[in-house]
Amino acid sequence: MLSNQQSVFFIQSVGFYCFVLLVTVTSSLKPEGKHPSQPIAIDARLVEGGSRCSGRLEMKHREEWRTLNIIEYIDTARTKVNYAQVACRQMGCGSVISIIHNTNNANRRPAWEVNFRCSATDMTLSECGDPKARRRVEEKSTSTSSVEVICSESVRLVGASQVCSGRVEVYSDQGWAPVCEDGFHSEVKQVVCREFGCGPPVSSKTSFLRGDESVSSKKFQCKGSESRLQDCATSTHNNCTPASGISCTNDYDVRLVGGESRCEGTLEEKHHLEWRPVGDVENYFITKKAVEVCQQLDCGNKVSGVVHRLPQRQHVWTCRGFHCRTKSEGSSASLTNVTCAGTVRLAGGDNTCSGRLEVKSGPSWASVCQLSLKTAQVTCRDLECGFPLHFVSRISSETNKEHAQNLVFNCEGDEDHLLDCPADTTSATEENCGLRETYLKCIEHPEEPSVIIHTPQYAFAPDYVFKGQRFVISCSANTDDATVISIRLKSDSDPPTEWIQTGVNSTARFLFPAAQDKHEGVYKCDYNYNIKPDVFSTPSIFHITVKELHDVRLVDGRSSCAGRLEMEYRDEWNPVSYQHSWSLKEAAVVCAQLGCGSAVSTGRVSNSTELLPAWRFYSDCDGSERTLTDCGTVRKWRSSYTVEVVCTDILVQPNITVYSSQSDDQDEPIIKGYSFTVKCFVQPQYPGGHFTLIFNQTHHQSQPAVNHSSNFVLTAAEESRGNYSCVYHNFIFNHNFSSESQRISIYFTQNTDVMLDDGGFWHADSAPCAGKLFVQHEGEKKLLSAESTVWDLKHASVVCRQLGCGEAVSTKSINLPTKESMWRFFSDCDGSESVLMQCGTAKEWFSSSYVEVACTG
C-alpha cells in the first residue's frame, strides 16, 4: 500500500513540475505559446457559463467533479478570488473580473466540502494549503450554494498581489505578451481598470516587469470610453518596450438586481472582485445611499430605499464607518431594495440639488442650455429641492461632447414639473445654444445670513456691547440672484421681540440707541426671497452680552465722581486734553456714564509744565448721551492742560445704624421706654462736614461730623417710631454737596420686665393694673422684695407708667410666713422715667415680704 501511494505521488509530482515548466515558459516576456483549442483543466474548471471563461467553479478530487462548499471560517472574498485565479489559469483565461457566491440555488448539487486556502501563485487546487495535511477536503456533500466566476478572455494583470494592479498582458495567436509602453496612456489605463471592475488608475512608481528585453506585441489607441481593451484600435509592433504596469484604485462597482429594469432591485456592490448584497444599512442612510447609486447608474436622482427582510441570513457586505463608506464581510437577513426614477436631474454637483441640468431623452440625457427664474423655480420644485439660489448658463468644458439636442424650457412658474412646461428643441449647430449648459443650485432654505455688530469702539464688534452705548446689528442675505423681501431680527427677551425691515442691497441694520440689560440674550436673524416668501432662511443665531463700560474715569479728586478726566481708547489710558469744544454738556455725559449724577462744574487744570500724551476729544454732544464715545471720538494729542469734572454725587453714601441702650448689638430689639442711639457715619473722604438725621421726612436733627460720624440719642416712645435716614453735608470744590444714606425703619417692642399679678386669669391685652409686682431680670422672673429702703410711691409710678396703667395709687408691703428668693431693687430713679429697670438694677435676695402696687388704670 505504501509503494502505491509513493508511486501516485511521484506521478503527480512529475505532472506538476512539467506544468510549472510550461507556465514558466509561456509567462516569459517573449510571446507565449498558442492558445489550446480545448483547454485541459487539471483540477479546476468553469461550467455552464456564457463562455469558456465564465461559469460555476468546480473542483476535481478523486476523479470526481463537484462544486465547492467552503468551510465557513475560511469563506472569505480573498479565498474565493484565489480559487477563481486557479480556474482562470487552467481554463487558459486572463484575470478574475468578478465573483458571485450564490447561496439560494433551487437544486442541491454534489459538492466537495473544502478546508484549504490558495495563494495568488498556486497553479492547481491540489497545491493550495498543505497537500500532506489531512482533511483538506472534508467530505462529500450536497449544497445549494455555488461560486460563479467571470475571467477576462484576452487581457490579464500579473506580477502583483493586489487584484487591481500588475503588468498588463494581452493574448494573441502567439500567446500572452505585455503591451507596449508606447501609447500606454491614461485613456488606455482607464479602459483596463474599467474592464477589471476597478476604480480609476493612479500614478505609481512600482514596476511589475521581470526583464529589460524588447518584445513583439500590440500598441493600443483608446478613447477612454471603451468597456474592454479589445474594443480599442490596435497595431502590432516589433521590438517595443513593455509597459511597466498599472495600479488602479480599489475595485468598486454597484448594481441593482432582481428588478424589472437595471434601475431597480436589490442593491449589490463588488469588493475584492466579489458581488454581494449590501446589508445592515441604517435607516438614516438608506435614501442618501440610494441617491448615490441612482446617480452612478445614470438612473436619475429620485429614489426610494427600503429594507427587505429575508427568512435566513446570507453573505453580504456590511456597512462600516461614517456614512457607510467602508465595507466588511458579513451575513445578514436584511437587504436594501432601491428604486430609481426621474426624468430631470442635476448632474456633477456637490449633491442632488446642484449641478448641470439635464432631461432624460430616450436612453441618454439632454442638456438644458438656457434657464429663466421661473423655470429654475419649477425645476427645484420638481426635484423637491426647495427653490433656486444660483443658476448660470455657460459653454460646456467638454469640447468633444456629442450634443444630439439641447432644450430650452419656457415655464410660467406655477407648474409642478419641468416637463409640464413648453419646450423648444434647439440644434447643437445653433450658435447661441449648441454647446451651452445650465448649472443650477437649489436649496431647501436660503443660506444663513451674515451678521455684524457695530459699536463706537469696533466696526466689527465681538459678541458684547457696553451698557448705555448705541449699537447696530447688521444682517446681510447671501445672494446675488434672488430679491430679498424682508429681513427680520428676533430676540428671546421676555416677552420676545421681533423687528422687520425691507433691507437695502440685501442688508438690514437694526439700531439700538442705548444698550440696556434687557438687550442681553440670544438673537436670531433670517430673511426670505421673493421666489418663495413663506420660506425663511436658516437663521443666524448669536448671543449678545451687555457689559458695563469703563472707558472713562475721574482721578486725583478723592472721589470717583470728581477729578481729572482720563479716557481709554483701544486699550490705552490717557488724560483728556482741555480744548475749546469741551463744555458742561460733555461733563454731564461723563457724570451720567459714571453714575455720578449730573455735572456741577468742569474746567481746565494744569497737568504738567511739559507736553504729555493725551486724548484730544472731538465732540458732537448735547449732554443727553449715555456714554462719551456715543457723541464724540478721540485722537492722540500732547498737552499740558487736562479736563477736570466735578459731579453732584461726589460724596460717598453715608451709613446708618441703630443701637439699643441695653446692648451694643444692632440685632437687639429696642424696648419701648428705653433710650436708643442712631449712628451716622461715612467713609473717610473729605475732612469736616456735618450730619442731619431725618425722622419721618419731617423731623430733623443736625450734628457736626466728628471722625466722620455722629451719634443721635433718642427715647423709644410711640412718637419715635418710623423711618430714619442720615444726610452727610460738606463744602468742597467751592460747592455744597450732600449724600443721603439708605432709609431704615425703627420699631419698638413692649417692655415685659415688670408685671402685676392679681391672682386672676387674664390675657396679654388686658393685663391687671394692681397686684403683686414681679420683675424680669437676667432671664428670671421673681417677686420684688419689700425690704428695699428706697422703694416708694415714685417708683410705683414708674411701674404704672411702664405698664400703661396711669399713675400709682398706692404701694405696700405684704408679709410671707417664710423667706423666699426674690429680687432686691437698687434705685437711681427720680420718678419721671418710663421704664423701671432703666433707672435701677436688682440682685437676688431672700425675703419674707414683697411689694404690691395699685394703679389708676
Side-chain angles (χ1 to χ4, degrees):
M1 185 67 179
L2 180 61
S3 61
N4 289 340
Q5 288 178 342
Q6 291 174 337
S7 175
V8 171
F9 180 75
F10 176 77
I11 293 172
Q12 288 178 341
S13 300
V14 171
F16 170 68
Y17 283 111
C18 290
F19 180 77
V20 172
L21 178 63
L22 174 63
V23 172
T24 302
V25 171
T26 59
S27 297
S28 67
L29 289 175
K30 296 179 181 180
E32 298 180 341
K34 290 186 177 181
H35 199 296
S37 58
Q38 292 183 348
I40 299 175
I42 297 177
D43 62 355
R45 69 181 182 183
L46 302 176
V47 298
E48 297 183 7
S51 69
R52 66 180 177 84
C53 292
S54 64
R56 184 178 67 254
L57 174 61
E58 290 187 347
M59 182 182 77
K60 185 178 181 182
H61 180 65
R62 296 177 183 173
E63 302 302 321
E64 184 177 355
W65 289 99
R66 288 174 175 254
T67 187
L68 297 183
N69 186 14
I70 306 170
I71 296 295
E72 183 176 356
Y73 78 91
I74 65 168
D75 187 5
T76 65
R78 174 57 62 187
T79 298
K80 284 174 279 193
V81 168
N82 290 339
Y83 287 169
Q85 291 283 20
V86 172
C88 290
R89 293 192 188 100
Q90 293 189 14
M91 299 298 289
C93 303
S95 302
V96 179
I97 292 179
S98 69
I99 296 173
I100 302 174
H101 192 175
N102 285 331
T103 58
N104 55 352
N105 293 318
N107 300 319
R108 303 185 69 88
R109 293 188 176 91
W112 292 114
E113 189 170 301
V114 296
N115 183 17
F116 59 83
R117 295 183 176 92
C118 295
S119 68
T121 58
D122 288 332
M123 305 303 295
T124 66
L125 294 178
S126 61
E127 291 181 53
C128 299
D130 184 359
K132 298 181 181 180
R134 293 184 178 183
R135 304 185 69 82
R136 291 180 62 257
V137 180
E138 295 285 342
E139 59 183 0
K140 288 183 180 181
S141 64
T142 59
S143 176
T144 59
S145 66
S146 62
V147 178
E148 308 291 333
V149 179
I150 298 177
C151 311
S152 61
E153 297 187 9
S154 59
V155 62
R156 69 182 183 183
L157 297 175
V158 296
S161 59
Q162 301 297 323
V163 296
C164 289
S165 301
R167 183 176 68 256
V168 181
E169 293 184 350
V170 294
Y171 191 82
S172 65
D173 293 340
Q174 303 301 317
W176 291 98
V179 298
C180 296
E181 179 70 34
D182 184 25
F184 194 60
H185 302 311
S186 61
E187 292 81 2
V188 180
K189 294 179 181 179
Q190 290 176 14
V191 175
V192 172
C193 292
R194 184 180 301 116
E195 184 168 356
F196 285 104
C198 301
V202 295
S203 59
S204 174
K205 298 181 180 179
T206 303
S207 175
F208 303 99
L209 293 179
R210 296 186 301 175
D212 298 328
E213 54 190 292
S214 300
V215 297
S216 176
S217 189
K218 291 183 178 181
K219 175 182 177 181
F220 290 86
Q221 295 177 327
C222 301
K223 296 179 180 179
S225 59
E226 296 85 352
S227 300
R228 299 181 302 171
L229 191 61
Q230 66 184 31
D231 296 336
C232 301
T234 62
S235 58
T236 303
H237 288 252
N238 295 320
N239 299 322
C240 74
T241 301
S244 60
I246 189 173
S247 292
C248 310
T249 54
N250 292 332
D251 61 309
Y252 171 77
D253 207 349
V254 64
R255 68 184 182 185
L256 300 175
V257 299
E260 296 183 359
S261 70
R262 68 179 185 86
C263 293
E264 60 178 302
T266 300
L267 173 61
E268 290 189 351
E269 290 186 4
K270 185 173 74 171
H271 295 277
H272 307 300
L273 301 180
E274 181 178 355
W275 285 101
R276 291 188 183 187
V278 177
D280 297 333
V281 178
E282 296 181 20
N283 291 334
Y284 179 78
F285 298 119
I286 287 177
T287 302
K288 184 177 181 67
K289 185 67 180 176
V291 169
E292 297 175 357
V293 170
C294 293
Q295 290 179 331
Q296 185 171 343
L297 295 176
D298 205 20
C299 290
N301 58 6
K302 283 191 175 180
V303 302
S304 63
V306 296
V307 174
H308 176 61
R309 308 292 178 183
L310 298 177
Q312 60 184 12
R313 302 177 73 86
Q314 69 177 72
H315 289 80
V316 297
W317 292 117
T318 302
C319 286
R320 290 290 184 270
F322 184 64
H323 282 195
C324 196
R325 292 301 184 191
T326 59
K327 304 291 188 301
S328 62
E329 298 183 54
S331 63
S332 176
S334 300
L335 306 183
T336 304
N337 285 356
V338 174
T339 300
C340 306
T343 54
V344 179
R345 72 177 184 183
L346 296 173
D350 296 334
N351 51 54
T352 59
C353 293
S354 66
R356 183 177 60 254
L357 177 58
E358 295 180 342
V359 177
K360 192 77 171 181
S361 178
S364 60
W365 293 86
S367 296
V368 176
C369 70
Q370 294 180 3
L371 202 65
S372 66
L373 178 58
K374 291 182 178 180
T375 303
Q377 293 174 14
V378 174
T379 303
C380 294
R381 186 184 306 125
D382 189 8
L383 295 173
E384 298 180 356
C385 288
F387 55 93
L389 179 64
H390 306 292
F391 59 91
V392 62
S393 178
R394 59 174 179 248
I395 297 177
S396 172
S397 58
E398 302 177 28
T399 55
N400 296 326
K401 183 177 179 180
E402 297 180 2
H403 289 265
Q405 61 181 13
N406 278 12
L407 301 174
V408 176
F409 288 89
N410 299 306
C411 299
E412 295 295 327
D414 55 357
E415 297 88 350
D416 292 327
H417 304 285
L418 181 61
L419 296 185
D420 294 341
C421 303
D424 296 332
T425 302
T426 307
S427 172
T429 59
E430 291 187 18
E431 182 178 354
N432 67 333
C433 197
L435 295 177
R436 300 190 73 83
E437 298 172 330
T438 295
Y439 289 81
L440 171 64
K441 180 177 182 180
C442 305
I443 52 175
E444 184 176 355
H445 293 277
E447 294 179 332
E448 180 180 324
S450 300
V451 174
I452 300 174
I453 303 174
H454 304 269
T455 67
Q457 288 84 3
Y458 302 99
F460 302 95
D463 57 353
Y464 62 86
V465 297
F466 290 112
K467 185 179 292 187
Q469 278 195 328
R470 60 182 172 82
F471 66 98
V472 174
I473 299 177
S474 175
C475 295
S476 299
N478 299 317
T479 179
D480 295 325
D481 297 328
T483 301
V484 174
I485 297 179
S486 63
I487 300 176
R488 65 183 180 183
L489 181 68
K490 294 182 178 180
S491 169
D492 67 349
S493 57
D494 187 16
T497 308
E498 179 177 294
W499 304 268
I500 298 178
Q501 292 186 17
T502 55
V504 178
N505 296 326
S506 302
T507 298
R509 293 179 176 87
F510 301 91
L511 173 63
F512 297 82
Q516 302 175 31
D517 290 335
K518 67 179 182 180
H519 293 136
E520 181 167 322
V522 176
Y523 290 78
K524 297 179 181 179
C525 179
D526 57 11
Y527 60 93
N528 60 344
Y529 287 136
N530 61 336
I531 299 172
K532 202 170 184 181
D534 59 325
V535 177
F536 277 79
S537 71
T538 301
S540 177
I541 303 175
F542 55 98
H543 184 276
I544 291 181
T545 301
V546 178
K547 295 183 176 182
E548 294 288 344
L549 180 61
H550 302 291
D551 63 345
V552 295
R553 64 189 179 189
L554 299 175
V555 299
D556 300 336
R558 295 188 181 182
S559 169
S560 60
C561 293
R564 178 166 50 86
L565 175 62
E566 289 187 350
M567 187 173 180
E568 182 191 33
Y569 183 69
R570 294 183 177 176
D571 300 324
E572 183 178 352
W573 284 96
N574 281 316
V576 175
S577 172
Y578 187 85
Q579 301 293 328
H580 66 274
S581 63
W582 187 265
S583 69
L584 203 59
K585 293 187 297 183
E586 287 75 21
V589 177
V590 172
C591 293
Q593 182 174 344
L594 292 174
C596 290
S598 57
V600 175
S601 64
T602 185
R604 182 181 73 172
V605 294
S606 177
N607 191 43
S608 172
T609 57
E610 301 178 1
L611 296 177
L612 298 179
W615 294 122
R616 181 172 182 177
F617 185 76
Y618 296 84
S619 175
D620 188 27
C621 301
D622 62 14
S624 63
E625 294 82 5
R626 297 293 186 91
T627 65
L628 198 58
T629 50
D630 263 350
C631 58
T633 186
V634 299
R635 59 180 288 189
K636 285 190 174 182
W637 200 252
R638 299 185 73 85
S639 175
S640 60
Y641 292 98
T642 57
V643 170
E644 180 186 72
V645 175
V646 178
C647 307
T648 55
D649 296 347
I650 185 174
L651 297 178
V652 296
Q653 187 178 31
N655 298 304
I656 181 172
T657 58
V658 60
Y659 301 93
S660 170
S661 60
Q662 284 77 39
S663 172
D664 291 336
D665 188 356
Q666 298 181 38
D667 296 327
E668 188 74 19
I670 301 173
I671 300 175
K672 188 175 181 181
Y674 284 81
S675 63
F676 65 95
T677 300
V678 177
K679 182 177 181 179
C680 300
F681 61 99
V682 68
Q683 177 184 341
Q685 188 180 16
Y686 301 102
H690 67 276
F691 287 97
T692 297
L693 180 65
I694 301 177
F695 165 51
N696 286 342
Q697 298 183 347
T698 57
H699 302 284
H700 300 78
Q701 293 185 27
S702 295
Q703 291 184 16
V706 178
N707 294 327
H708 310 287
S709 67
S710 292
N711 293 320
F712 297 86
V713 180
L714 306 169
T715 299
E718 186 65 27
E719 63 272 12
S720 302
R721 186 176 61 180
N723 298 319
Y724 289 76
S725 66
C726 294
V727 179
Y728 177 61
H729 308 269
N730 211 332
F731 182 79
I732 47 179
F733 293 103
N734 296 318
H735 288 84
N736 285 309
F737 294 93
S738 63
S739 177
E740 185 174 4
S741 71
Q742 293 182 342
R743 293 183 180 180
I744 62 172
S745 296
I746 297 179
Y747 298 95
F748 310 127
T749 61
Q750 190 67 36
N751 191 317
T752 58
D753 59 357
V754 295
M755 63 174 291
L756 296 176
D757 185 2
D758 61 1
F761 296 96
W762 46 268
H763 298 285
D765 57 351
S766 61
C769 289
K772 304 175 184 178
L773 176 58
F774 285 86
V775 174
Q776 183 86 16
H777 183 61
E778 296 180 352
E780 191 173 357
K781 184 175 69 174
K782 298 180 180 181
L783 288 168
L784 188 68
S785 172
E787 295 181 7
S788 172
T789 60
V790 297
W791 186 262
D792 57 14
L793 194 61
K794 69 175 181 181
H795 292 91
S797 295
V798 174
V799 172
C800 292
R801 196 176 305 120
Q802 182 174 347
L803 293 176
C805 289
E807 294 298 323
V809 174
S810 65
T811 182
K812 59 184 178 178
S813 173
I814 305 296
N815 294 323
L816 294 174
T818 60
K819 290 183 180 294
E820 295 182 6
S821 176
M822 301 183 191
W823 291 118
R824 182 177 178 179
F825 185 73
F826 297 88
S827 174
D828 188 28
C829 303
D830 62 10
S832 63
E833 294 82 4
S834 300
V835 178
L836 181 66
M837 297 303 293
Q838 191 174 11
C839 60
T841 187
K843 69 177 184 178
E844 188 178 18
W845 196 260
F846 286 90
S847 176
S848 60
S849 63
Y850 62 86
V851 172
E852 186 178 80
V853 174
C855 306
T856 59

